[in-house]
Amino acid sequence: MRRAPTEVEARVWQWLRDRRFSGFKFRRQVPIGPYILDFYCPTLHLAIELDGAGHNDASMSEYDSKRTIFLSARGIEVLRIPNELTQAGGEYAIACIQAAIAKRSPK
């Protein structure tokens, strides 16, 4: 996945890489337990998951719920961003990421 990211993953990685969001380091394709997170900031315990159309399926929705419960039990907040929100500049997606970082940032 790192060598061949989707267009959306590549776009979001450009936003997150090199500590571009408030100086916090994000990593991509991070394994935690049986799951691989799209993006993860260990300092904030914040995961960012990009959801394509497949995530609208009932079975995938159940999988995502179990995954979120697993991660939440480990103190990791999951921010889910539908792929469509990253299109055309992605201002709303960027605002969501900034809000999640602000919420999780040490005061």
Side-chain angles (χ1 to χ4, degrees):
M1 293 290 289
R2 281 187 197 180
R3 293 185 186 162
T6 66
E7 180 182 327
V8 172
E9 289 171 333
R11 180 179 297 117
V12 173
W13 181 237
Q14 288 303 312
W15 300 343
L16 297 175
R17 66 191 298 257
D18 298 328
R19 301 176 188 267
R20 292 182 182 167
F21 268 89
S22 304
F24 290 101
K25 179 164 181 66
F26 280 85
R27 297 178 4 208
R28 59 186 171 149
Q29 299 298 311
V30 178
I32 295 187
Y35 304 107
I36 297 177
L37 307 179
D38 291 337
F39 304 99
Y40 180 63
C41 177
T43 303
L44 300 174
H45 301 286
L46 175 63
I48 298 174
E49 291 293 307
L50 303 175
D51 292 347
H55 288 265
N56 296 332
D57 181 76
S59 64
M60 194 61 168
S61 199
E62 183 179 329
Y63 172 84
D64 287 342
S65 293
K66 288 179 182 178
R67 181 180 188 169
T68 298
I69 290 167
F70 175 89
L71 295 169
S72 293
R74 284 147 186 81
I76 298 170
E77 180 177 344
V78 179
L79 172 62
R80 295 195 166 281
I81 300 176
N83 284 353
E84 309 83 60
L85 295 182
T86 67
Q87 305 299 323
E91 291 83 7
Y92 184 74
I94 290 170
C96 289
I97 295 169
Q98 289 172 330
I101 288 173
K103 178 181 166 190
R104 303 286 292 187
S105 294
K107 306 286 189 255

